[in-house]
Amino acid sequence: MISDISQNNLSGVQSPNTTQKADKSKAEQEFIDIIKNLQAEQPKNGRHGELGVPYTMPSSSSESIQERTAKLESIFSDSMKAIMEERSISSDPSFELTTGTDGHVYVKGDHPQKAEIEQMFQDNQELENLFRGISGNHAMIDAFDRHMKFSEEYAINQVAAVMKYASLFDNTEEKSVSMRMDENGNISWSVKDIYSFSA
């Protein structure tokens, strides 16, 4: 049987850490409280263990994954900006974030405060968890949209659709999700396809 923590990791998000360091800043602690409340609001069922449905997933059948993701993006944006302000991290120049193969959040390319931005995520596990959760949701939404387009085109021309969307079936496609913060603090998310071919 998969443990509760392992179940939550299937969604790309770890369980909220209930034992936080006493040295958290005001913005960091407020963010932790928001995440705890999000998790507490989630329905509990046997499939997800005692912790319930991961907070990155819709809380009810009336909430779509797109709506949940938009809500999480708003929380992430507001909390990240507040923590950045406390740490004197500027959004000018702009920067882009992505998740590395080790699961940590990294700044893509060079940035004068690259080390400080990456340290901010290392010091705030829940912020890093939320980044991964939002990234996972974006990859899921993108995959769903591509499957819907394939179904529509398949109904018109089967051969052309299979050729166009072959990567959906051969495991050569992976998603790379990144977040960009511009110099004015505006945040945008993007999904790119990465193809991996093995001999």
Side-chain angles (χ1 to χ4, degrees):
M1 180 175 178
I2 300 175
S3 70
D4 294 343
I5 293 175
S6 297
Q7 276 285 12
N8 276 308
N9 284 341
L10 292 177
S11 68
V13 177
Q14 297 177 3
S15 309
N17 188 354
T18 55
T19 56
Q20 297 295 330
K21 295 178 183 176
D23 60 351
K24 290 290 183 187
S25 71
K26 182 181 178 201
E28 291 169 337
Q29 191 56 54
E30 286 175 355
F31 171 69
I32 290 165
D33 292 341
I34 291 170
I35 295 301
K36 285 181 182 177
N37 289 336
L38 278 177
Q39 188 61 59
E41 292 168 1
Q42 290 295 83
K44 310 291 187 271
N45 63 43
R47 199 173 82 191
H48 293 281
E50 292 177 12
L51 293 172
V53 176
Y55 67 82
T56 54
M57 294 290 103
S59 59
S60 69
S61 58
S62 63
E63 182 182 39
S64 71
I65 188 74
Q66 291 87 348
E67 291 168 332
R68 188 63 170 189
T69 303
K71 179 179 181 177
L72 295 173
E73 285 177 358
S74 177
I75 291 169
F76 180 86
S77 176
D78 292 345
S79 299
M80 181 175 165
K81 289 174 189 176
I83 295 170
M84 285 173 61
E85 185 176 343
E86 286 183 340
R87 291 176 173 237
S88 300
I89 297 174
S90 175
S91 61
D92 189 9
S94 63
F95 59 88
E96 190 173 355
L97 301 175
T98 191
T99 306
T101 55
D102 60 359
H104 290 297
V105 176
Y106 294 98
V107 177
K108 291 176 83 172
D110 292 326
H111 188 275
Q113 290 187 290
K114 179 174 183 161
E116 291 90 339
I117 295 168
E118 291 175 355
Q119 188 63 50
M120 174 181 67
F121 282 95
Q122 289 179 23
D123 293 343
N124 292 278
Q125 180 185 342
E126 293 308 328
L127 192 64
E128 195 167 63
N129 281 345
L130 182 54
F131 182 91
R132 284 192 296 261
I134 294 171
S135 296
N137 284 3
H138 275 289
M140 195 182 320
I141 292 166
D142 182 78
F144 176 77
D145 289 345
R146 283 176 53 83
H147 277 86
M148 290 300 293
K149 288 176 185 174
F150 166 73
S151 296
E152 292 167 4
E153 294 182 31
Y154 187 83
I156 299 168
N157 186 327
Q158 296 175 355
V159 174
V162 169
M163 290 178 67
K164 182 176 179 180
Y165 295 96
S167 61
L168 293 174
F169 311 104
D170 60 12
N171 296 321
T172 60
E173 180 183 273
E174 295 179 18
K175 303 288 180 191
S176 172
V177 181
S178 61
M179 184 225 81
R180 182 177 183 273
M181 179 179 274
D182 70 20
E183 57 277 0
N184 297 316
N186 300 311
I187 288 178
S188 60
W189 296 79
S190 64
V191 181
K192 295 177 184 168
D193 295 329
I194 300 174
Y195 297 95
S196 58
F197 301 96
S198 56

